[in-house]
Amino acid sequence: MHSTRGMRARRTLALATIALLSLGLAACQTPASSTSGTESEAVALPPLSEITPVADPSNVEGPSTARIGGPSIAPLPDPPAPELPVTVTSHDRTGDTEITVSDTSRVLALSLSGSLGELVHAYGLSDQLVGRDISTNFPGAEDLPVVTKDGHSIDAEGVLALSPTVILTDGSIGPVDVVLQLRDAGIPVITVDRSVDAETTYETAQQVADALGVGSAAPPLIETLKQAIADKEAEVAKLLPADAEKLPRVAFLYVRGTAGIYYLFGEGSGVDSLIRSIGALDVAEEIGWKGEKPMTDEALIAIDPDVILVMTKGLESAGGVDGLLAAQPSIALTTAGKNRRIIDVDDTLLFAGGTRIPDVIDGLARAIYAPDSLT
């Protein structure tokens, strides 16, 4: 067993090293969404079966804000007891590493989307979380201290001050080397696969459960989620127009108006699977767009989406719909721009993954097919 003095020395050395790494690596991070504090409350909405879809969702005028209901899947009522110690594989950027976890009483689950914290909550283990990233969004999460700066970088000193016994990350918040350096402070750091859609969420859910010593709790949760997604997609299918020519062509743009950043999200981004789930046409898929890349004016005009999805904070950063259209004339020249058909979605929920996927599908479907129901 390490002495208290020895552990303090290791933490001091680790913090000094992390500080140096942060200075060198912080400028290398991919731009990420920055959201305000979490105020998560259950939102009750009428069933999709009770709303009336528009006749032609490809030709609707005016902006909408998607309302995400739920949470529709409650966390496990009887939190499973962890079976510890457990040795799991951490999927680090430099290669797989075996990590042993012997204490899960103080957990930090950090990801750009908040999906890892949400999964810990789904297993009924939110009481073991001692902090959060800025995107983690579940009832009660607002009471946890935030350990990410600007939404996408780790406050290493803040992390160490919380004395976590295990850290879960998916590599989406960094600098990655800084996060892994926390191991030098004696903290087990486990990198799980990043969830961007339903299929990867199932894999991540199992990895999170394994790392917390509750692996047997994952399969029933995953089955519940699979069924909920299938049921929601079946509900949404009844809102689609009979004429396939009237299915809206949708593009998701990552917008940061003040920085002049406009990215089109394509295959593998997670938005592609959501667009498929609501039965709309993904313009990024039409042109074979993969990942997240800057969008040129000419390309955006050429793909001419009927609907443009954006994050709420991104739209605010551009000065709202008017500011977005003024700043980017190319958007104004698309069908979506001419109709002001801009739909914004809560930053903390759009990519939340986990058990919120059915709720996000539901909210997007309402905004696309029945915008009048949102008023």
Side-chain angles (χ1 to χ4, degrees):
M1 182 177 294
H2 297 290
S3 68
T4 302
R5 180 177 297 177
M7 181 61 75
R8 287 176 178 171
R10 292 177 70 195
R11 285 176 178 260
T12 301
L13 177 60
L15 187 55
T17 305
I18 290 165
L20 291 173
L21 280 169
S22 297
L23 290 174
L25 296 175
C28 301
Q29 298 309 297
T30 302
S33 64
S34 175
T35 60
S36 58
T38 302
E39 293 293 339
S40 180
E41 296 180 357
V43 177
L45 297 171
L48 289 180
S49 59
E50 295 181 5
I51 65 177
T52 303
V54 296
D56 185 357
S58 68
N59 187 28
V60 175
E61 295 185 359
S64 300
T65 296
R67 295 188 63 198
I68 311 298
S72 57
I73 298 179
L76 298 180
D78 298 313
E83 296 181 6
L84 301 171
V86 62
T87 299
V88 296
T89 301
S90 177
H91 302 294
D92 302 341
R93 184 175 59 182
T94 55
D96 288 353
T97 303
E98 297 299 302
I99 301 292
T100 297
V101 178
S102 57
D103 184 351
T104 58
S105 61
R106 300 181 64 81
V107 179
L108 271 178
L110 306 175
S111 59
L112 188 63
S113 65
S115 58
L116 297 188
E118 194 276 335
L119 283 170
V120 174
H121 172 69
Y123 289 121
L125 303 175
S126 55
D127 287 348
Q128 294 169 214
L129 290 168
V130 294
R132 65 178 174 94
D133 53 65
I134 203 167
S135 297
T136 291
N137 186 340
F138 59 78
E142 62 272 14
D143 297 328
L144 295 171
V146 175
V147 295
T148 53
K149 296 179 291 188
D150 301 323
H152 59 84
S153 58
I154 299 294
D155 177 2
E157 187 172 3
V159 167
L160 292 177
L162 294 174
S163 299
T165 57
V166 62
I167 296 175
L168 304 176
T169 178
D170 62 4
S172 60
I173 295 181
V176 175
D177 290 351
V178 170
V179 178
L180 295 180
Q181 195 69 31
L182 289 163
R183 286 179 184 158
D184 287 347
I187 306 169
V189 177
I190 295 140
T191 305
V192 299
D193 291 330
R194 187 174 182 180
S195 60
V196 296
D197 54 22
E199 290 301 322
T200 51
T201 291
Y202 305 147
E203 297 173 6
T204 304
Q206 183 66 65
Q207 293 171 7
V208 167
D210 290 342
L212 297 178
V214 295
S216 61
L221 179 71
I222 292 169
E223 286 305 312
T224 297
L225 178 56
K226 285 182 177 180
Q227 189 60 54
I229 292 173
D231 291 346
K232 187 57 63 178
E233 289 177 341
E235 290 182 60
V236 173
K238 297 177 181 178
L239 301 177
L240 272 55
D243 183 356
E245 293 295 322
K246 294 181 179 180
L247 286 173
R249 300 174 62 256
V250 180
F252 175 85
L253 290 183
Y254 174 92
V255 175
R256 279 298 175 268
T258 55
I261 298 173
Y262 299 87
Y263 281 64
L264 175 68
F265 278 32
E267 181 183 343
S269 66
V271 171
D272 54 335
S273 66
L274 289 172
I275 293 175
R276 285 195 298 271
S277 287
I278 61 173
L281 303 177
D282 183 359
V283 297
E285 181 179 0
E286 289 180 352
I287 61 173
W289 196 272
K290 299 183 185 300
E292 308 92 15
K293 296 180 288 187
M295 190 77 221
T296 65
D297 293 344
E298 296 79 9
L300 183 60
I301 294 170
I303 60 178
D304 191 27
D306 301 317
V307 177
I308 292 177
L309 297 178
V310 297
M311 291 182 179
T312 301
K313 291 294 182 181
L315 186 60
E316 291 175 359
S317 76
V321 173
D322 290 336
L324 178 64
L325 297 178
Q328 287 293 309
S330 60
I331 295 178
L333 292 174
T334 65
T335 299
K338 293 173 184 176
N339 287 336
R340 297 172 58 82
R341 194 70 181 113
I342 312 297
I343 297 177
D344 67 283
V345 191
D346 188 330
D347 300 41
T348 66
L349 292 175
L350 180 59
F351 295 106
T355 58
R356 298 310 303 271
I357 293 176
D359 302 328
V360 175
I361 293 172
D362 179 283
L364 289 177
R366 292 172 193 272
I368 292 281
Y369 299 113
D372 292 343
S373 70
L374 303 177
T375 58

